[in-house]
Amino acid sequence: MRPRRRRPTMDRVVPRKREERINEEIRVPRVRLVDENGGQVGITPTPEALEFAFTKGLDLVEVAANADPPVARVMDYSKYRYEQEQRAKQARKHQLQIQVKEIKLRPKIGVHDYETKKGHVERFLGQRAKVKVTIMFRGRETLHPERGRDLLIRLAEDVKELGSIEQQPLLDGRNMVMVLAPNKNVGVKADAKDEDVTGSEEALPAQRDGEDPAPQAPPHDSSGAPDQEPSGEAEAPAAARAGQL
């Protein structure tokens, strides 16, 4: 009985073929040799170039195979590959990836359903993703495409602080499609705004601490009378008593 052929699995990782030829893989009779510092050594037979690299404890790497003769450089190939992988990793990390989310609406959507869909659109735009909004027409609803267009324009107006129209509403068969793109500052300066708010809240107690203290009551002398000049009403009885004497 013929054995069943096993389906290939998607988890199988095919190793990437190395582009450069190194050391004994270089089959040409001679190469243009470059040392580890980038200096030109000159056209050298391949066995001598290999010996030159091995005496330094390095590898001979063919960096320009189409040249005549091919250019080979002396280097630490493991370190070279590691640096290449790190640069590629950093490039992928800083690469801007735009995702496209899709929201589907009906021309006769209810108020609560509309608010829910609008919340999804705001969340997607806040994550710096484009949003494809689709109005689905059924039956005789296709006779009034202006209703779908008005609904899309209304949605764009409601979320204009987060995104703008990248593709105007376009009728495609029984569907009308509009694409919203996030604004430049959406999802970028949120942390800075939070820091400003936090800083202002921290400054308020400091300002309160720096205010002048409230004026205190004047000190009293030992006799219990306040340490201040007597008023005019107090001087008048004293003058009257002096006149009677």
Side-chain angles (χ1 to χ4, degrees):
M1 184 176 178
R2 186 176 180 180
R4 293 176 57 186
R5 184 177 180 181
R6 187 171 58 183
R7 295 179 58 185
T9 60
M10 300 301 296
D11 298 336
R12 181 185 176 189
V13 179
V14 179
R16 181 183 175 185
K17 184 178 179 180
R18 189 172 60 240
E19 298 178 356
E20 306 89 357
R21 290 185 293 184
I22 65 173
N23 299 333
E24 288 82 2
E25 296 177 357
I26 304 175
R27 301 296 185 182
V28 294
R30 57 181 184 171
V31 295
R32 187 178 298 275
L33 185 61
V34 180
D35 62 13
E36 66 277 13
N37 298 321
Q40 295 286 339
V41 179
I43 299 176
T44 309
T46 302
E48 295 182 9
L50 286 172
E51 186 65 24
F52 179 82
F54 292 163
T55 55
K56 296 179 178 293
L58 300 175
D59 301 306
L60 184 66
V61 182
E62 188 180 51
V63 295
N66 296 329
D68 186 22
V71 179
R73 183 170 182 174
V74 178
M75 66 175 72
D76 186 348
Y77 187 71
S78 299
K79 181 179 179 180
Y80 169 74
R81 290 291 298 175
Y82 175 77
E83 292 175 352
Q84 277 192 332
E85 292 175 358
Q86 291 300 315
R87 284 194 294 266
K89 183 178 179 180
Q90 290 295 328
R92 290 193 301 269
K93 182 178 179 180
H94 295 290
Q95 184 179 5
L96 183 61
Q97 297 180 357
I98 299 297
Q99 297 181 351
V100 179
K101 305 290 187 177
E102 184 175 8
I103 291 292
K104 295 184 179 180
L105 308 175
R106 292 295 308 279
K108 298 180 181 179
I109 187 173
V111 177
H112 298 290
D113 291 341
Y114 174 80
E115 293 296 330
T116 301
K117 297 288 186 179
K118 185 182 72 171
H120 293 331
V121 173
E122 292 175 346
R123 177 164 55 87
F124 293 150
L125 292 175
Q127 297 172 355
R128 301 202 57 79
K130 294 183 179 181
V131 183
K132 177 182 177 182
V133 187
T134 304
I135 300 291
M136 300 180 297
F137 297 99
R138 292 181 182 177
R140 298 178 64 86
E141 292 176 348
T142 56
L143 300 177
H144 302 281
E146 66 277 1
R147 296 180 181 177
R149 184 181 301 273
D150 294 342
L151 181 59
L152 292 177
I153 297 300
R154 172 189 170 189
L155 178 62
E157 287 293 328
D158 290 343
V159 299
K160 63 181 179 180
E161 296 182 358
L162 298 176
S164 58
I165 299 178
E166 183 180 72
Q167 176 183 323
Q168 293 292 334
L170 179 64
L171 187 61
D172 183 13
R174 290 183 174 269
N175 298 330
M176 182 174 288
V177 179
M178 178 184 69
V179 178
L180 297 173
N183 295 332
K184 293 183 179 179
N185 297 331
V186 173
V188 176
K189 295 185 178 181
D191 296 339
K193 292 181 180 179
D194 295 340
E195 292 176 0
D196 294 342
V197 173
T198 305
S200 62
E201 292 178 353
E202 293 176 354
L204 289 177
Q207 293 177 0
R208 287 196 294 268
D209 295 341
E211 292 179 354
D212 295 335
Q216 300 178 357
H220 294 69
D221 55 6
S222 59
S223 61
D227 188 10
Q228 59 182 3
E229 295 181 357
S231 60
E233 297 178 355
E235 292 178 355
R241 287 194 300 271
Q244 292 176 0
L245 295 174

